[in-house]
Amino acid sequence: MSRSFSSALLLVLLAGCAGQQAYRDGRELIAQDQVPAGLQKLQEALQQDPGNAQFRSAYLQARARATSTRLQQAEGQARAGQGDLARASFLSVLEIDAQNERANSGLRALEREQRQGKLLAEAQKDVEAKRYDPARQRLSAILTEQPNHAGARALLRDVDEKTAPPVVESGLARSYKQPITIEFRDAPLKQVFELIARRSGLNFVFDKDVKADAKTSIFLKNSTVESAVYFLLVTNQLEQQVMDANTILIYPNVAAKLKEYQEVLVKTFFLANADAKQVANTLKTILKTRDVVADEKLNLVIVRDTPEAIRLAERLIALQDVPEAEVVLELEILEVKRSRLLELGVAWPTSLTLSPLSTSGGAGLTINDLNNLNQRTIGVSDLSVTANAKKTDGDANILANPRIRVRNREKAKFVIGDKVPVITTTISPGTGGFASESISYLDVGLTVNAEPTIYLNDEVGIRISLEVSNLGAATITKSGSTLYQIGTRQASTMLQLKDGENQVLAGLINNEERSAGNKVPGLGDIPVLGRLFGSSKDDSQKTEIVLSITPHLVRTVQRPEAKESEFSAGTEGSFRRRPDMAAKAPTQMPGTVIVRSGPSAVGMQPAPPQPMMTPGQLPAPLPQTVPAPEVSPSPSSPPEPAASPLPISSGQPVPLQTAPLPLSSGQPVPVAQPPAK
């Protein structure tokens, strides 16, 4: 048994020696800037002796110093744009501490910056090639991840200046921008959409609840397909849903159909400066959005609404989520105290005291002592005469120069002084009541309260109050509470200063003058000689407070651009954007001639006016047919058979007897006019 104990003891001693050697080697390697190898040695020493506090402390301190140094170096390289060096530095930190969250976050930030850099470069190429829609999508992806990306914001501003606001249905932009001229009166609605479909190449799908006999009237010249579709939908209480790049679903604008067809999006807005609850209230008020969630802990807002409402929410949040204006208030507080004291004259005794003296040597007087009073047994109090010639002057300057940075419309407070304890004793009622003491503190000294308001013209309105208090005499009540008499001087004002303008507030003056004198009655009133029979004391104290304030703007209130502060928001019932109303090149389309209340001709020349008829006169007879104009047939297509003449009845459309014309020709179709009477 003794042999096994000796073996165990020997193993412990060897492990301790190995741990000490690894500890010394680790310290030497770290001193030689071989940090990873040194940390490994220290870790070996800690494994040899896990309970050694010295080994553990040295390992933790060395690892903390090494990671802190490398993290600072990596972050500095990242700010300088040296991505490869920063990545290597972050990886070296992870070699030391694999779970270091700061290094992992730095690597993720570098990957994000690299990805955003590629997107920004591609967006720049798209802008140079005038491909603005792909560029806008790439920039939107960057700003979704990093709303304050300066390069993406600058390029997006450039794209906005070069292009008109994009429509929601970006895939339909080419078809929507085609020019068109149409004129219909009381025409079947689906027939009008069919004509637009032929002209633009779009497909229209109608919901079963769209009335088949619905009629409409529309007169548009030099307009666009987008405008024609927009006005047809608005005037017939219809809505649309884009199905693909060239297909549109038309359905009634009723609540049930909107819930069935209208697309909704969910978007999360991470706020950098604005308050999530306030932004949510704004969206509910302006957009009437009910599905809004504000997370105050993460300061984000989640919105569920239509794509048009989401786009409007983005613009509203961009107006609110801006840095708050800030100002630095530079204060100079000067307290000047002047004291003057003058004592001059001769102070004579003001009283004389005679007292009998004991002759028996006892402690008290006896009747015999009183009977034997004489000059030797009567004592006299001390009589002293003091000549006073004293003058004291004192000046004290107390200067404070605080600089306070405060946000717009927030309160700032500055206190110089002491907190004086006030003890209050409370006795509970009843027999043998329990007494308790509570302590409260009063601020005594100099207190400055300021609340700035920053305006758009770089001026700062400051509501400021200044209070100077000093401690007076203390009074103790019967219950044991201590009360203090506090003298105070207070001033408050509202002023408006420019950036860097100085304003001095003065006049808080406390002037005390006291005079006192001791004179011998009668003799002290003699002119000139009275100074020998009296003494006077003049005490003067003057205190003045001067406050100087200078605002320095750190961040001003930014006025948004006109296009950002005013934009279209649709109608009360829909956020659908009104189409671009810019004038287009004149264009005409083939159509049908309508007599009286039928559909009107599209792109046709108006009929000449008819002569006035007298009472009883019959109108001129109308031609029975409309002859087709002579059109040379195309050599590549067989001739069309001639249409049979149709009689014209009141209110019936008259088909054009013409050769087929391509819809894109844009040429007017000639129509035979009735012969003159």
Side-chain angles (χ1 to χ4, degrees):
M1 181 175 179
S2 60
R3 181 178 298 177
S4 60
F5 177 76
S6 300
S7 301
L9 181 61
L10 180 61
L11 290 175
V12 171
L13 292 176
L14 291 176
C17 293
Q20 288 290 341
Q21 183 62 37
Y23 171 73
R24 288 192 295 268
D25 293 343
R27 296 290 297 269
E28 291 177 0
L29 290 172
I30 291 174
Q32 297 173 6
D33 201 20
Q34 300 179 18
V35 178
L39 288 174
Q40 186 176 1
K41 284 292 184 181
L42 291 177
Q43 195 170 10
E44 291 177 3
L46 192 59
Q47 291 174 355
Q48 294 290 339
D49 189 1
N52 193 309
Q54 183 182 11
F55 294 171
R56 180 172 295 277
S57 175
Y59 172 73
L60 294 177
Q61 291 181 8
R63 188 181 69 174
R65 286 195 300 268
T67 55
S68 177
T69 302
R70 282 165 170 74
L71 283 172
Q72 292 179 1
Q73 180 182 2
E75 291 170 352
Q77 292 168 347
R79 287 192 296 269
Q82 302 172 353
D84 295 337
L85 295 178
R87 183 175 291 101
S89 299
F90 282 127
L91 291 176
S92 66
V93 173
L94 293 178
E95 291 178 0
I96 299 173
D97 184 7
Q99 304 298 326
N100 192 287
E101 181 59 28
R102 190 172 166 187
N104 289 322
S105 299
L107 288 175
R108 289 194 295 268
L110 288 176
E111 293 176 359
R112 183 174 63 250
E113 290 179 2
Q114 184 178 6
R115 182 175 63 255
Q116 292 173 356
K118 291 181 180 179
L119 287 175
L120 186 62
E122 294 173 357
Q124 184 67 43
K125 292 180 181 179
D126 290 335
V127 172
E128 293 174 357
K130 297 184 179 180
R131 297 190 299 267
Y132 298 116
D133 287 343
R136 194 184 302 276
Q137 293 175 1
R138 291 185 172 90
L139 294 175
S140 178
I142 295 175
L143 294 176
T144 300
E145 293 183 353
Q146 189 176 352
N148 296 326
H149 195 287
R153 283 191 173 276
L155 189 57
L156 182 60
R157 191 179 301 110
D158 186 28
V159 171
D160 289 339
E161 292 176 356
K162 294 180 179 179
T163 61
V167 296
V168 177
E169 302 85 2
S170 58
L172 305 176
R174 179 176 301 178
S175 299
Y176 267 4
K177 297 306 178 184
Q178 293 187 24
I180 190 173
T181 294
I182 57 175
E183 296 181 7
F184 283 96
R185 180 184 294 112
D186 294 334
L189 178 64
K190 293 185 178 181
Q191 179 181 347
V192 179
F193 273 108
E194 181 181 358
L195 183 63
I196 296 176
R198 293 180 183 178
R199 178 67 180 88
S200 62
L202 295 174
N203 300 321
F204 294 97
V205 180
F206 294 88
D207 182 80
K208 63 179 182 178
D209 292 335
V210 176
K211 296 180 180 180
D213 57 348
K215 293 187 178 182
T216 187
S217 298
I218 183 170
F219 300 89
L220 291 179
K221 291 184 178 181
N222 303 330
S223 186
T224 61
V225 172
E226 181 184 13
S227 299
V229 174
Y230 173 81
F231 291 123
L232 287 173
L233 295 177
V234 170
T235 56
N236 292 276
Q237 290 77 47
L238 299 174
E239 266 293 347
Q240 66 176 358
Q241 174 63 38
V242 178
M243 308 304 293
D244 55 36
N246 61 345
T247 304
I248 299 176
L249 172 66
I250 307 298
Y251 59 91
N253 187 4
V254 295
K257 295 297 181 180
L258 289 174
K259 185 179 296 185
E260 180 179 354
Y261 289 121
Q262 199 169 44
E263 181 184 1
V264 294
L265 298 178
V266 176
K267 185 162 185 177
T268 302
F269 297 93
F270 291 88
L271 306 177
N273 303 283
D275 180 68
K277 190 174 181 180
Q278 184 177 0
V279 171
N281 291 334
T282 300
L283 297 180
K284 291 178 182 179
T285 303
I286 302 298
L287 303 181
K288 305 298 186 293
T289 302
R290 292 179 296 177
D291 299 336
V292 180
V293 177
D295 190 332
E296 297 186 37
K297 183 178 180 181
L298 299 177
N299 201 33
L300 59 85
V301 176
I302 304 175
V303 183
R304 180 180 180 271
D305 212 321
T306 62
E308 294 86 355
I310 294 294
R311 300 289 85 78
L312 291 176
E314 290 176 351
R315 305 189 71 168
L316 291 174
I317 291 176
L319 290 174
Q320 282 192 286
D321 192 22
V322 294
E324 191 73 30
E326 289 184 286
V327 63
V328 172
L329 300 179
E330 183 178 355
L331 305 176
E332 292 184 7
I333 305 168
L334 180 64
E335 183 177 3
V336 181
K337 292 183 178 180
R338 298 184 181 91
S339 60
R340 301 289 185 268
L341 178 63
L342 178 62
E343 291 187 29
L344 187 62
V346 179
W348 294 88
T350 59
S351 61
L352 177 64
T353 303
L354 300 177
S355 59
L357 302 177
S358 175
T359 57
S360 60
L365 294 175
T366 62
I367 296 177
N368 186 35
D369 293 334
L370 296 176
N371 292 330
N372 297 323
L373 289 176
N374 53 38
Q375 295 179 353
R376 296 181 179 180
T377 59
I378 297 176
V380 180
S381 61
D382 293 337
L383 297 176
S384 61
V385 178
T386 304
N388 295 323
K390 179 181 179 182
K391 183 178 181 181
T392 303
D393 292 339
D395 291 328
N397 295 332
I398 301 176
L399 177 64
N401 187 16
R403 294 171 61 91
I404 305 174
R405 180 168 176 169
V406 59
R407 295 173 62 182
N408 187 23
R409 301 181 184 275
E410 296 290 342
K411 294 181 180 180
K413 185 177 182 180
F414 179 76
V415 179
I416 300 177
D418 301 319
K419 284 185 174 292
V420 179
V422 177
I423 302 174
T424 304
T425 303
T426 304
I427 301 176
S428 59
T431 305
F434 176 76
S436 62
E437 291 184 349
S438 61
I439 301 176
S440 59
Y441 292 89
L442 296 176
D443 290 328
V444 177
L446 179 66
T447 303
V448 178
N449 292 284
E451 182 180 356
T453 302
I454 303 174
Y455 299 102
L456 287 171
N457 57 353
D458 292 343
E459 292 189 358
V460 183
I462 306 174
R463 186 182 301 276
I464 188 169
S465 64
L466 173 65
E467 181 179 359
V468 181
S469 57
N470 58 302
L471 194 63
T475 303
I476 300 177
T477 63
K478 294 181 180 180
S479 61
S481 300
T482 303
L483 303 178
Y484 290 96
Q485 180 181 358
I486 298 177
T488 181
R489 285 164 289 165
Q490 186 175 9
S492 60
T493 184
M494 178 70 182
L495 49 91
Q496 186 165 339
L497 303 175
K498 295 182 179 180
D499 182 21
E501 183 181 357
N502 177 263
Q503 179 64 46
V504 177
L505 303 178
L508 290 177
I509 301 175
N510 183 21
N511 193 1
E512 297 181 2
E513 294 184 358
R514 295 183 178 90
S515 296
N518 293 322
K519 301 178 182 180
V520 177
L523 298 177
D525 296 330
I526 299 174
V528 182
L529 294 178
R531 288 284 185 178
L532 299 177
F533 300 97
S535 175
S536 62
K537 180 180 180 181
D538 297 328
D539 187 5
S540 174
Q541 292 186 358
K542 183 178 181 180
T543 304
E544 181 179 5
I545 303 294
V546 178
L547 172 64
S548 172
I549 183 169
T550 305
H552 298 283
L553 288 175
V554 178
R555 188 183 297 113
T556 60
V557 179
Q558 298 294 331
R559 185 190 297 272
E561 299 179 4
K563 63 180 180 180
E564 296 178 355
S565 59
E566 181 180 353
F567 46 85
S568 175
T571 63
E572 187 68 23
S574 174
F575 293 118
R576 184 171 51 200
R577 190 179 65 86
R578 185 183 296 272
D580 185 12
M581 298 302 173
K584 305 298 179 183
T587 181
Q588 293 174 324
M589 295 179 59
T592 306
V593 177
I594 302 302
V595 179
R596 297 180 185 174
S597 62
S600 174
V602 181
M604 303 302 301
Q605 300 293 334
Q610 299 294 328
M612 297 291 293
M613 293 184 296
T614 59
Q617 182 181 2
L618 295 176
L622 294 176
Q624 297 300 316
T625 61
V626 180
E630 296 181 1
V631 180
S632 58
S634 174
S636 60
S637 60
E640 294 289 337
S644 59
L646 294 176
I648 296 178
S649 60
S650 175
Q652 297 297 325
V654 181
L656 297 177
Q657 305 297 322
T658 64
L661 295 176
L663 290 176
S664 59
S665 64
Q667 299 297 327
V669 180
V671 180
Q673 302 295 337
K677 184 175 179 181

